[in-house]
Amino acid sequence: MEGFRTLFYKEVLRFWKVGFQTVAAPVLTSLLFLLIFSHVLERHVQVYEGVSYTSFLVPGLVMMSVLQNAFANSSSSLIQSKVTGNIVFVLLPPISYREFFAAYVLASIVRGGVVGLGVLGMTLWFVDLDWRGPLWILGFAVLGGGIMGALGVIAGIWSDKFDQLAAFQNFIIMPLTFLSGVFYSIHSLPPFWQQVSHFNPVFYLIDGFRYGFFGTSDVPPLTSLAVAAGCLAALTLFTLWLLRIGYKLRA
Amino acid sequence: MHPAIRIEGVTKRFGDLLALGGVDLEVAQGEFFGLLGPNGAGKTTLISALAGLVRPDVGRLAVMGHDVVADYRAARRLLGVVPQELVFDPFFSVREALRIQSGYFGIRDNEAWIDEILENLDLVDKAGTNMRQLSGGMKRRVLVAQALVHRPPVIVLDEPTAGVDVELRQALWAFIRRLNRDGHTIVLTTHYLEEAESLCGRIAMLKQGRIVALDTTANLLRRFSGHTLRLRLAPGTEPPESLRARLSGAVGGEQALALDNCEQIESVLADLREAGCRLVDIEIGKPDLEEVFVRVMERG
Ligand SMILES: Nc1ncnc2c1ncn2[C@@H]1O[C@H](COP(=O)(O)OP(=O)(O)OP(=O)(O)O)[C@@H](O)[C@H]1O
Ligand SMILES: [Mg+2]
């Protein structure tokens, strides 16, 4: 347990020490999205009855920050350790692969959570939100952070160089998050793209998260919860297997 | 009592390259053991296999009786490895790095021992310094410190003195010797052969992934190299016929003659006197490990 505790603490300390880059910068990016999109679209788009576009947008942006930063945390930590070689410091000790997985993923959830709270805190200056179901909000944030933290572990282990990680991020993570209904309700899409969206797990994360604020959603929240939990379970099993066989970490 | 290290039939390929070709080796508890070999011989690969960083294709390794795969947690707790590459985590200070490393090994409060290590490695006034700001030799010392945080009974040092200044090298060896006296098993790789000669009780020499010599240091020295007599004759004199075949290479007028034992000196001197050769200078060279190493590598 002490091994897990220390690795988790080290992973949190790692991003906290460079908080300007890892927390402040992404909060600012999200605020810029919010200012631009809400200014341009506020008067043209209404998604849910009685919910302004800006209010609709905020939960999506918060969730997007949680997801992207959770992914960034585990993946960048692992790739940096691999490239600089200091990964040996965690490979030499008697840390089990379960502890290894849990420490990286939990630290990712914490980073995602801190950034998400930062975005939420700042946007409260501009918009009023309902808080219909705080537990749904928390639950989806944790599941989302966990899913992306695990994907970050996979990407960090798989990549040998920074550009491979960038490719993973640009071709998988970014499309999944941008095409998930952060900026729109999928009901405003043509039927074909609505169908496609249902294959994107991030769509369920954002939809469920939004439900926690407004009490309305595109699909029932329990469905979203089931999809998210299923994804996390599958990714967990896959990542634990990679760690157990030592894929790319132990030659 | 289990041996500190047991290596049985370990083979490892990287693609077409045979890095380890069936290595068998046992190091008893309490030994000070040297692992020597030219660049690329497989020393680091063997150490990595022991540490679980590399998985052998064939064969088994155990630390104090604990298999490094099946029983990896126990094996790793008993082993401290100083890696050859100069690696460090730029996010942390020296003390932070040591605390974190202690935690990875399950030790919560390790301050007293950390202070002792820092003291012995002359790092006390660098304790609060960020790793990035240390010189290469200091980073190397921190690597040694990190390998010792959990007081491992078996300590493996992969070229720990590369780039370390003379003073610290001596301090480091004094410290490692003390750990050895206290019962820790030490395995060392180095390209400084005088270092290995003076420290190691037993030595294995590796060449292209195979062990080509394995014996006590004293036996190796005795077996592979005798004394050498270095002579400088007065200008214009030629050595007698009887010695000419045994003499080798006149370097700057100096000739070397290999002896099987010290008693042969007498007969050599007698031959010279008889031939009327006058000596300007004479010196007896002791056998050294470098010579043994060269001979083993040529032959093996
Ligand atoms: N991860 C790897 N992938 C491919 N080849 C490798 C890998 N690690 C080592 N090798 C090769 O295996 C051989 C043995 O390397 P190793 O690092 O064990 O040598 P060494 O005895 O430690 O040498 P040195 O004295 O230079 O440190 C070398 O030919 C090396 O190129
Ligand atoms: Mg080496």
Side-chain angles (χ1 to χ4, degrees), chain B residues 224-238:
Chain B
F224 285 100
S225 83
H227 289 76
T228 324
L229 199 61
R230 280 191 278 276
L231 309 166
R232 192 190 293 273
L233 302 177
T237 51
E238 282 293 312

Side-chain angles (χ1 to χ4, degrees), chain A residues 2-3 5-7 10 13-14 17-18 80 84-86 88-97 99 244-246 250-251, chain B residues 12 14 51-55 72-73 76-77 81 83 87-92 96 100-101 103-108 143 146:
Chain A
E2 186 65 18
R5 219 185 58 91
T6 309
L7 187 53
K10 183 221 116 190
L13 199 60
R14 195 193 71 91
K17 281 196 169 198
V18 286
Q80 275 180 22
T84 59
N86 65 39
V88 295
F89 297 143
V90 292
L91 295 179
L92 290 173
I95 296 173
S96 74
Y97 55 91
E99 288 178 297
R244 189 158 53 80
I245 64 166
R250 301 180 193 272
Chain B
K12 177 69 189 178
F14 293 111
L53 300 175
V54 155
R55 302 186 170 207
Y72 71 95
R73 300 192 74 165
R76 286 186 206 160
R77 209 167 277 128
V81 177
V87 293
F88 62 96
D89 194 329
F91 284 94
F92 303 111
E96 280 174 330
I100 288 170
Q101 207 63 24
Y104 290 162
F105 281 92
I107 307 164
R108 196 173 275 236
L143 273 184
Q146 276 175 287

Side-chain angles (χ1 to χ4, degrees), chain A residues 140-192:
Chain A
F140 278 102
V142 169
L143 282 172
I147 287 173
M148 287 296 168
L151 272 175
V153 172
I154 295 170
I157 292 176
W158 170 76
S159 314
D160 299 313
K161 291 178 290 187
F162 285 101
D163 36 328
Q164 288 173 319
L165 181 61
F168 198 101
Q169 192 150 15
N170 291 328
F171 290 97
I172 298 176
I173 303 301
M174 292 303 260
L176 283 181
T177 48
F178 275 95
L179 302 177
S180 60
V182 174
F183 301 104
Y184 52 83
S185 160
I186 60 159
H187 286 169
S188 51
L189 292 175
F192 172 76

Side-chain angles (χ1 to χ4, degrees), chain B residues 233 237-241 243-244 247 255 272 275 277:
Chain B
L233 302 177
T237 51
E238 282 293 312
E241 197 64 42
L243 294 179
R244 213 166 289 165
L247 285 168
Q255 317 217 29
L272 286 171
C277 288

Side-chain angles (χ1 to χ4, degrees), chain B:
Chain B
M1 196 163 74
H2 289 290
I5 293 171
R6 172 177 278 150
I7 297 171
E8 289 173 302
V10 167
T11 296
K12 177 69 189 178
R13 282 178 187 283
F14 293 111
D16 287 340
L17 184 108
L18 185 68
L20 294 173
V23 173
D24 291 294
L25 182 64
E26 223 174 87
V27 177
Q29 288 186 31
E31 271 197 87
F32 204 128
F33 190 89
L35 192 58
L36 306 182
N39 292 138
K43 305 179 295 293
T44 300
T45 306
L46 191 61
I47 291 170
S48 301
L50 194 66
L53 300 175
V54 155
R55 302 186 170 207
D57 303 327
V58 187
R60 286 186 307 176
L61 304 99
V63 181
M64 311 272 276
H66 297 277
D67 190 275
V68 302
V69 177
D71 196 6
Y72 71 95
R73 300 192 74 165
R76 286 186 206 160
R77 209 167 277 128
L78 297 165
L79 185 69
V81 177
V82 181
Q84 176 177 7
E85 300 290 331
L86 205 53
V87 293
F88 62 96
D89 194 329
F91 284 94
F92 303 111
S93 72
V94 174
R95 189 178 288 278
E96 280 174 330
L98 296 179
R99 280 189 188 143
I100 288 170
Q101 207 63 24
S102 306
Y104 290 162
F105 281 92
I107 307 164
R108 196 173 275 236
D109 179 19
N110 205 20
E111 289 311 293
W113 177 236
I114 288 177
D115 284 333
E116 196 175 332
I117 301 175
L118 290 173
E119 181 82 37
N120 277 290
L121 292 167
D122 200 14
L123 283 168
V124 176
D125 46 339
K126 297 288 172 195
T129 308
N130 184 284
M131 289 300 303
R132 234 181 323 212
Q133 289 152 357
L134 297 181
S135 74
M138 290 173 192
K139 287 188 187 119
R140 173 87 55 202
R141 294 184 226 168
V142 178
L143 273 184
V144 176
Q146 276 175 287
L148 299 178
V149 288
H150 57 298
R151 300 176 194 254
V154 182
I155 302 167
V156 180
L157 305 109
D158 199 351
E159 297 190 36
T161 47
V164 172
D165 67 39
V166 181
E167 200 178 333
L168 188 93
R169 205 182 300 173
Q170 286 170 355
L172 174 64
W173 290 134
F175 184 36
I176 299 293
R177 270 197 166 119
R178 206 187 81 208
L179 290 171
N180 183 235
R181 268 199 305 277
D182 293 345
H184 295 259
T185 307
I186 313 287
V187 175
L188 162 74
T189 83
T190 179
H191 291 291
Y192 300 112
L193 297 179
E194 333 77 87
E195 228 168 44
E197 186 179 329
S198 69
L199 291 164
C200 300
R202 220 154 60 94
I203 283 173
M205 293 189 188
L206 219 55
K207 182 183 176 186
Q208 289 171 0
R210 290 175 212 280
I211 292 185
V212 288
L214 171 64
D215 210 332
T216 62
T217 310
N219 279 347
L220 282 171
L221 289 171
R222 216 170 309 150
R223 184 139 54 101
F224 285 100
S225 83
H227 289 76
T228 324
L229 199 61
R230 280 191 278 276
L231 309 166
R232 192 190 293 273
L233 302 177
T237 51
E238 282 293 312
E241 197 64 42
S242 59
L243 294 179
R244 213 166 289 165
R246 289 167 63 196
L247 285 168
S248 62
V251 186
E254 193 183 86
Q255 317 217 29
L257 196 148
L259 301 174
D260 296 327
N261 54 55
C262 286
E263 278 123 58
Q264 290 181 333
I265 294 175
E266 268 187 57
S267 70
V268 171
L269 290 179
D271 285 0
L272 286 171
R273 197 175 329 112
E274 226 165 81
C277 288
R278 218 161 45 78
L279 280 168
V280 177
D281 196 7
I282 183 166
E283 194 180 34
I284 299 173
K286 285 241 179 85
D288 71 6
L289 198 61
E290 192 153 325
E291 206 184 317
V292 178
F293 185 82
V294 170
R295 299 260 287 267
V296 169
M297 290 305 146
E298 277 168 359
R299 200 194 48 149

